[in-house]
Amino acid sequence: QQPVQSPQAVILREGEDAVINCSSSKALYSVHWYRQKHGEAPVFLMILLKGGEQKGHEKISASFNEKKQQSSLYLTASQLSYSGTYFCGTVPTTDSWGKLQFGAGTQVVVTP
Amino acid sequence: NAGVTQTPKFQVLKTGQSMTLQCAQDMNHEYMSWYRQDPGMGLRLIHYSVGAGITDQGEVPNGYNVSRSTTEDFPLRLLSAAPSQTSVYFCASRTRTGVVNTGELFFGEGSRLTVL
């Protein structure tokens, strides 16, 4: 079952912050975050592992709450380059290591 | 390194026709996978492979076949195309890092398929 992302879309002005949430009905081993620009392939941002630390990429960071089976992606002081669709991917603890399943995505638009 | 290469980039088929989407990677990655991307649905896993000779089904495998005879190649076959298979297809690969999936996926540029 696909993880659920919220919100579906968010519009920001440059410099504003945003949070994207990802939740799963299954116990998770890892959560993966990717960003896709229009017409391009998804690009890796970061991975969060069970029992691991909060990770960061530029001014984008994320957390992983294992007990709640949730992850959040934090866009801090957003830049125009942050525009795109963000996908979370999850690997359940009981599943094989090959099945990385993605959510439906959150579209982020950063305006000047 | 070319990374992950997909061909063709665009294809139009008629219902019932067959075709193969090609995927090749030159990074010696053990793991390869195929996803389809549809508006509002995100990326959905079709099939994946953890090494030559080993394949398994993902979330939406019906209507698609795969094989993995070499480490480099992972073709996706549509035996009898249907309009519901109109989508953008992405091939992705990564190195195997331990038992559980913890590695970065490298995606190809995508193949846009239209079935009339």
Side-chain angles (χ1 to χ4, degrees):
Chain A
Q1 191 171 2
Q2 284 185 295
V4 177
Q5 286 185 237
S6 63
Q8 287 185 317
V10 59
I11 300 175
L12 301 165
R13 292 202 175 198
E14 240 181 323
E16 291 183 339
D17 302 338
V19 180
I20 300 171
N21 298 305
C22 174
S23 64
S24 173
S25 59
K26 298 181 180 180
L28 300 176
Y29 181 85
S30 62
V31 179
H32 306 226
W33 287 96
Y34 286 77
R35 178 173 63 202
Q36 184 179 32
K37 304 274 186 180
H38 183 68
E40 299 180 4
V43 174
F44 172 79
L45 291 176
M46 66 190 75
I47 290 174
L48 299 102
L49 305 178
K50 181 179 178 180
E53 301 176 356
Q54 182 169 336
K55 299 288 187 180
H57 169 85
E58 300 172 346
K59 291 183 180 178
I60 300 173
S61 60
S63 62
F64 179 20
N65 187 323
E66 300 159 32
K67 290 184 179 178
K68 292 186 177 180
Q69 296 152 199
Q70 292 177 347
S71 177
S72 295
L73 188 73
Y74 306 95
L75 306 181
T76 306
S78 59
Q79 305 169 13
L80 295 176
S81 61
Y82 287 2
S83 291
T85 301
Y86 290 75
F87 294 98
C88 73
T90 56
V91 178
T93 54
T94 56
D95 216 328
S96 72
W97 64 278
K99 289 188 178 178
L100 175 60
Q101 293 183 290
F102 288 95
T106 296
Q107 186 176 12
V108 173
V109 176
V110 181
T111 62
Chain B
N1 282 351
V4 179
T5 303
Q6 290 183 233
T7 56
K9 287 186 170 46
F10 300 94
Q11 183 72 48
V12 178
L13 290 178
K14 293 182 179 179
T15 298
Q17 287 185 317
S18 62
M19 78 155 301
T20 300
L21 296 175
Q22 301 290 346
C23 175
Q25 52 89 11
D26 61 358
M27 298 174 281
N28 202 30
H29 285 169
E30 294 171 286
Y31 174 87
M32 296 186 73
S33 56
W34 277 102
Y35 288 88
R36 60 176 290 173
Q37 184 171 34
D38 303 293
M41 301 293 291
L43 296 154
R44 290 184 292 169
L45 182 64
I46 305 172
H47 286 285
Y48 67 97
S49 168
V50 301
I54 306 169
T55 63
D56 204 349
Q57 296 181 348
E59 305 165 73
V60 289
N62 293 339
Y64 307 95
N65 281 350
V66 292
S67 59
R68 184 94 179 269
S69 55
T70 67
T71 300
E72 295 77 20
D73 301 300
F74 191 44
L76 179 71
R77 297 184 187 86
L78 286 71
L79 297 180
S80 180
S84 61
Q85 293 178 305
T86 293
S87 187
V88 179
Y89 292 85
F90 286 99
C91 178
S93 74
R94 68 167 177 83
T95 189
R96 181 169 183 168
T97 53
V99 176
V100 187
N101 189 341
T102 58
E104 171 186 354
L105 270 179
F106 293 85
F107 284 85
E109 293 184 344
S111 297
R112 184 175 294 275
L113 175 67
T114 301
V115 182
L116 302 175

